[in-house]
Amino acid sequence: MKTLRNFLKYHFGGSNSQVTYAQMRKDYIESKYDIVNKVCKVNGLLNPKYKIQESQGILGTLKNAEVSDICKHIQKDGYFIFPNLASKELVEDLKNFASHTPIHYLIPAEKSIAYSKESVKYAESKNLSNRYQIFNISDLKNNEVSLKLATDANFLHIANNYLGAKPILDLIVFWWSNSFKTLQVDETTKNLLKSGSAQMFHFDMDRLKFLKFFVYLTDVDTTTGPHVFVKGTHNKIPCYIHKDGRYTDEQVSEHDAKNIIEINGKAGSIIAVDTRGLHKGKELEQGERLIFQIEFANSLFGNPQMPIVPEKLDYKGNSTYFDTYKLFFKK
């Protein structure tokens, strides 16, 4: 139970390290989530969830019973597809913002991958990579629509219930993906880029437990890079997974073909996913895809290099009021 001891030290004033993080990832794999799930229960006792009766946000008015049903679905399958779509105005605002805001792109670097030091505008530089990401959190903070999404009360309400602890918004990611048809790369470079852009099956294990909300800002079908998820693998790592890392389509399909699902949707589609489950972004055959993503974790214990900018959100007691402007960036 080294991860439990490490977590308790962290909770009572210690710090994350690469050693404790590596131990947590090891326990994920070797115990098939059992040890880490036990630590999550302890965290829930030390950091009990908010008492939220209802919330109002992008998904409308959500009462506890509705949120409970959503979380039961996520607990069973690992994901939930919301019937509501974000407004066309929100989608167009964020697409325009992402097209003209400085953005970094993924490039091969000495048998590995890294993001470019230089920034470009995606609208003018679509043939440099298969993934472009906004890294300057100040740009997101200063965009009213992205700030509104990041502090949406519905998302907080669902994460609070699912995680069983006060949720921490620890990650905001905003990125474009496009087809390799726009690039001139060999097979080795292509595979590096696929791995680096999460287009191979993998588990996320940066925190104890977390929930991600994705908003599709372009139409997504089977040819334009849907999120692909293996149902049920968020509860227990499958027996055929013996090590940390990336897995090919063939390796997963051989054992779990019946549980692989693609999540397609129109621009404005919203999904919640427990990405401790086996998943990937499907390689684009054509076109481009834009996604806005936020992640709530039950603790910042884990990866010492994350988040890029952790957030503190001020939730006011038991009311439904969630103050967008009470968002502070930790130094």
Side-chain angles (χ1 to χ4, degrees):
M1 296 292 283
K2 291 181 180 178
T3 291
L4 176 58
R5 291 198 298 271
N6 292 337
F7 164 74
L8 290 172
K9 288 179 182 178
Y10 169 82
H11 182 82
F12 292 107
S15 60
N16 284 316
S17 71
Q18 286 295 338
V19 173
T20 59
Y21 174 45
Q23 180 65 50
M24 185 184 79
R25 292 187 74 98
K26 181 181 179 183
D27 285 344
Y28 260 120
I29 297 291
E30 292 185 352
S31 76
K32 305 298 185 184
Y33 287 164
D34 182 60
I35 289 175
V36 175
N37 286 338
K38 288 177 179 176
V39 178
C40 287
K41 290 181 180 180
V42 173
N43 177 61
L45 295 173
L46 295 171
N47 182 37
K49 64 184 180 181
Y50 293 117
K51 295 179 180 179
I52 304 176
Q53 300 304 317
E54 67 174 40
S55 58
Q56 296 180 355
I58 195 170
L59 303 170
T61 300
L62 290 181
K63 296 187 180 297
N64 263 341
E66 296 170 275
V67 169
S68 179
D69 287 342
I70 290 168
C71 291
K72 285 177 182 176
H73 194 289
I74 301 172
Q75 189 60 48
K76 176 178 177 288
D77 292 334
Y79 67 94
F80 185 82
I81 304 170
F82 295 96
N84 317 57
L85 293 180
S87 69
K88 291 182 179 179
E89 293 76 17
L90 180 147
V91 169
E92 288 305 312
D93 185 287
L94 287 178
K95 281 182 68 176
N96 183 63
F97 171 71
S99 295
H100 299 94
T101 297
I103 199 166
H104 296 266
Y105 54 95
L106 198 64
I107 54 175
E110 297 181 359
K111 297 183 179 181
S112 63
I113 48 89
Y115 279 93
S116 63
K117 292 182 179 179
E118 68 167 338
S119 61
V120 297
K121 292 182 178 179
Y122 178 75
E124 303 167 358
S125 310
K126 297 183 180 182
N127 63 341
L128 298 175
S129 181
N130 69 321
R131 177 166 171 139
Y132 300 73
Q133 187 165 321
I134 295 175
F135 279 116
N136 189 346
I137 203 72
S138 295
D139 289 330
L140 295 174
K141 179 185 176 183
N142 294 328
N143 177 264
E144 183 178 348
V145 179
S146 60
L147 184 63
K148 184 177 180 180
L149 269 182
T151 57
D152 186 87
N154 292 153
F155 294 158
L156 176 82
H157 191 178
I158 294 165
N160 184 67
N161 186 299
Y162 184 71
L163 297 174
K166 289 185 179 69
I168 301 167
L169 177 62
D170 72 326
L171 193 62
I172 305 174
V173 188
F174 201 5
W175 79 96
W176 288 96
S177 302
N178 60 22
S179 169
F180 282 102
K181 291 180 180 179
T182 65
L183 310 179
Q184 298 288 330
V185 295
D186 58 31
E187 197 65 22
T188 299
T189 301
K190 179 180 177 180
N191 288 334
L192 282 172
L193 289 170
K194 283 182 65 175
S195 177
S197 56
Q199 291 180 354
M200 296 180 68
F201 281 110
H202 63 285
F203 297 90
D204 294 336
M205 304 182 194
D206 291 299
R207 303 291 185 212
L208 292 168
K209 189 174 183 179
F210 38 87
L211 185 65
K212 293 183 179 178
F213 294 90
F214 298 91
V215 182
Y216 287 174
L217 298 170
T218 51
D219 291 343
V220 176
D221 61 27
T222 190
T223 68
T224 52
H227 184 85
V228 182
F229 191 83
V230 184
K231 290 170 62 173
T233 54
H234 64 300
N235 286 322
K236 185 177 182 179
I237 291 180
C239 60
Y240 59 89
I241 301 295
H242 301 291
K243 63 179 182 178
D244 204 344
R246 302 306 203 211
Y247 287 81
T248 66
D249 291 1
E250 292 74 19
Q251 288 173 309
V252 177
S253 295
E254 180 182 355
H255 300 276
D256 242 335
K258 67 180 184 300
N259 292 318
I260 298 174
I261 59 102
E262 293 185 2
I263 302 177
N264 300 311
K266 295 290 187 181
S269 295
I270 304 169
I271 60 176
V273 187
D274 182 341
T275 60
R276 296 197 306 174
L278 195 57
H279 69 284
K280 69 169 186 172
K282 188 178 180 182
E283 177 188 337
L284 281 74
E285 298 174 26
Q286 61 179 353
E288 59 189 6
R289 182 192 69 174
L290 177 63
I291 286 185
F292 183 92
Q293 175 215 299
I294 62 173
E295 174 182 291
F296 287 97
N298 62 349
S299 169
L300 292 181
F301 176 72
N303 189 346
Q305 297 180 353
M306 285 182 64
I308 298 172
V309 182
E311 313 297 337
K312 179 181 179 182
L313 298 175
D314 182 27
Y315 174 70
K316 300 201 169 196
N318 297 333
S319 73
T320 59
Y321 180 65
F322 192 40
D323 192 345
T324 298
Y325 302 101
K326 294 286 187 180
L327 186 149
F328 300 96
F329 289 73
K330 292 183 179 179
K331 304 298 182 183

